């Protein structure tokens, strides 16, 4: 089991950048794929990005491709989400999650451990 704590959310203007962090507490972090998901009010949780255990392979939702970058530092047990050119439609609670399979699933059902989320609000 991996305990996850997100940070870095906030209120920004359209076009700004923000970097989210997700710190993991657990000895298995480096064996997990990590994902970022988001949930806007009255909408379902949606996939944003994922990264494999080594950090060498990533996957992105079409809506963020070219603007967001997922990365990880296994020495710090931390995964990041660099968000550039933010848009109002990126407003949501962002969650990180761990998947012990090591694959790059976009479906949330494969992720067993979740953080509490961090709010990102983008004003127009």
């Amino acid at each position: 089991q991996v305990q996850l704590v997100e940070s870095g959310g906030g209120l920004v203007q359209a076009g700004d950048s923000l970097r989210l962090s997700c710190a993991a507490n657990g000895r298995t972090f480096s064996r997990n794929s990590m994902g970022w998901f988001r949930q806007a009010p009255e909408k379902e949780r949606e996939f944003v990005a994922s990264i494999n255990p080594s950090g060498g392979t990533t996957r992105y939702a079409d809506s963020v491709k070219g603007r967001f970058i997922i990365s990880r530092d296994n020495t710090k047990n931390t995964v990041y989400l660099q968000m550039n050119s933010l848009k109002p439609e990126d407003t949501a609670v962002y969650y990180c999650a761990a998947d012990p399979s090591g694959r790059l699933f976009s479906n949330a059902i494969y992720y067993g451990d979740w953080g509490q989320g961090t709010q990102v609000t983008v004003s127009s």
Side-chain angles (χ1 to χ4, degrees), residues 11-64:
L11 172 63
V12 296
Q13 293 186 332
D16 285 352
S17 297
L18 206 58
R19 189 176 81 156
L20 305 182
S21 298
C22 173
N25 183 1
R27 291 178 291 179
T28 62
F29 174 79
S30 63
R31 298 199 295 268
N32 281 260
S33 289
M34 299 298 297
W36 284 98
F37 291 77
R38 66 187 182 187
Q39 188 167 16
E42 301 182 354
K43 292 188 176 181
E44 293 188 354
R45 189 170 299 189
E46 66 172 357
F47 170 76
V48 175
S50 60
I51 188 166
N52 74 335
S54 70
T57 305
T58 57
R59 180 178 181 180
Y60 296 92
D62 288 343
S63 58
V64 306

Side-chain angles (χ1 to χ4, degrees), residues 4-11 18-23 36-40 45 48 79-81 83 90-96 114-121:
L4 304 170
V5 179
E6 302 95 335
S7 62
L11 172 63
L18 206 58
R19 189 176 81 156
L20 305 182
S21 298
C22 173
W36 284 98
F37 291 77
R38 66 187 182 187
Q39 188 167 16
R45 189 170 299 189
V48 175
V79 61
Y80 305 97
L81 185 67
M83 304 185 294
D90 294 319
T91 294
V93 177
Y94 283 71
Y95 300 89
C96 69
W114 293 79
Q116 83 291 346
T118 185
Q119 176 71 47
V120 172
T121 304

Side-chain angles (χ1 to χ4, degrees), residues 87-110:
K87 305 175 181 180
E89 51 264 43
D90 294 319
T91 294
V93 177
Y94 283 71
Y95 300 89
C96 69
D99 170 18
S101 77
R103 301 181 68 178
L104 293 176
F105 293 114
S106 60
N107 193 320
I109 64 172
Y110 293 101

